[in-house]
Amino acid sequence: MKQVIFTLITTLLLTIAQSQVIQSRRLDVDPANVAKFEAAVAKKNQIYNSKDDQPRWITFQILTGPNAYNYVRMQIAESLAEFDEVDKEGNDFWQKTVGPLHTSVGNRIWWANDEMTYDPEVRNKFNHRRIIYYNVKDEGLDDFWRYRERAKKTWTEMGIENRVGVMNCMSGCDGNWVQVRFHHKDFTSEEQSWDNMPVFAETYNNLFGEGSFTEDRERLRNSLMPDGRRIRHHKRLPELSSAWR
């Protein structure tokens, strides 16, 4: 048993070491300052975050939930060590221009779980996100990841065109928080994707046995903490974000 646990921990650490890490915070903006805020962030992005050798930042507008129409700002790095590199000029510009226009709330570090992420061969650069935030019980992790792994295999078998990213919280969260981020063009294409659910369930059962979809979904629900599933929508703002990679 100790050897199994050691192997799992080693695999997890290696996966994190080879994945992108994301530092995120919420930016609350008074509606009266939205236009000035977006213009200032766009200018800062153009000067300090538009080249390959500059820090990479992504800005999302929150569309739903109690913090709707505020923003999420994410710094994407290839390793934790990059967060030690302070962009003094960019930070000074931010504080002078954007700082007075927002309140920064919280700070969390996530790692991109490439093993559980579904990435189609041709990635569409969509800006719309449907995000499910899960808070998983310690004793429910096996069932939670069982479903996530099988879901990825099902999407691969179906050959769906939309990326589904998975991110694990490394720091700043209370509990085992996971984001599952569905990429869509807009609300219309998101709604159209629901038509694939019967095909998803059928493909899942064909891969893993009759009744496995229903059973695994129930295990997934039971793996979560109370209020352990929250759905939010975000929109990536291209002019306020570094280029795609």
Side-chain angles (χ1 to χ4, degrees):
M1 178 60 71
K2 290 182 179 179
Q3 182 60 40
V4 172
I5 294 173
F6 176 79
T7 301
L8 289 173
I9 293 174
T10 301
T11 301
L12 176 62
L13 292 174
L14 287 173
T15 302
I16 293 174
Q18 296 170 0
S19 300
Q20 289 181 330
V21 288
I22 300 100
Q23 192 165 201
S24 71
R25 66 184 190 272
R26 193 179 83 233
L27 307 181
D28 289 353
V29 180
D30 187 288
N33 292 329
V34 163
K36 292 180 181 178
F37 170 83
E38 291 193 358
V41 176
K43 186 173 182 180
K44 193 264 183 183
N45 182 74
Q46 182 181 19
I47 299 171
Y48 295 102
N49 306 117
S50 60
K51 300 181 177 62
D52 288 342
D53 60 345
Q54 293 177 328
R56 187 180 175 203
W57 289 89
I58 311 296
T59 304
F60 290 90
Q61 186 178 46
I62 304 169
L63 301 182
T64 60
N67 302 305
Y69 303 109
N70 289 298
Y71 301 83
V72 171
R73 182 89 165 150
M74 294 182 171
Q75 183 182 5
I76 301 177
E78 299 302 321
S79 71
L80 279 170
E82 287 188 35
F83 296 145
D84 290 330
E85 301 172 7
V86 178
D87 177 19
K88 189 175 185 307
E89 287 188 14
N91 288 353
D92 288 346
F93 184 90
W94 177 275
Q95 292 303 324
K96 290 176 182 178
T97 60
V98 186
L101 302 173
H102 79 284
T103 300
S104 182
V105 181
N107 186 30
R108 293 179 176 178
I109 298 177
W110 303 80
W111 62 274
N113 191 331
D114 295 336
E115 186 178 355
M116 295 296 172
T117 289
Y118 171 75
D119 215 350
E121 291 185 9
V122 179
R123 182 188 296 186
N124 293 310
K125 297 177 180 179
F126 292 146
N127 294 319
H128 181 87
R129 301 285 184 275
R130 177 177 182 264
I131 306 171
I132 306 179
Y133 293 87
Y134 292 103
N135 189 6
V136 188
K137 302 173 184 174
D138 289 342
E139 64 272 23
L141 288 169
D142 286 347
D143 286 337
F144 178 82
W145 291 116
R146 169 192 174 96
Y147 179 79
R148 295 260 57 89
E149 181 181 27
R150 289 185 167 190
K152 177 182 177 179
K153 290 179 179 178
T154 302
W155 289 321
T156 302
E157 180 70 16
M158 293 171 61
I160 68 169
E161 298 180 351
N162 294 23
R163 189 175 192 269
V164 184
V166 178
M167 291 162 50
N168 296 60
C169 190
M170 292 178 62
S171 181
C173 300
D174 298 323
N176 304 307
W177 283 94
V178 177
Q179 293 188 42
V180 179
R181 304 170 64 87
F182 297 85
H183 292 219
H184 297 283
K185 182 180 179 181
D186 48 28
F187 280 111
T188 299
S189 65
E190 177 188 337
E191 187 175 40
Q192 291 170 347
S193 72
W194 300 345
D195 294 338
N196 288 330
M197 279 306 299
V199 179
F200 178 89
E202 181 181 3
T203 306
Y204 195 107
N205 287 330
N206 288 339
L207 288 173
F208 306 111
E210 190 62 35
S212 59
F213 174 70
T214 301
E215 178 185 345
D216 289 351
R217 290 277 290 185
E218 184 63 22
R219 286 187 177 189
L220 172 68
R221 283 190 286 268
N222 292 333
S223 74
L224 304 178
M225 298 289 289
D227 191 28
R229 183 176 182 271
R230 304 174 186 178
I231 298 176
R232 301 288 187 267
H233 283 84
H234 290 182
K235 179 181 180 181
R236 180 181 179 274
L237 303 178
E239 292 186 359
L240 281 63
S241 303
S242 300
W244 294 92
R245 290 184 185 174

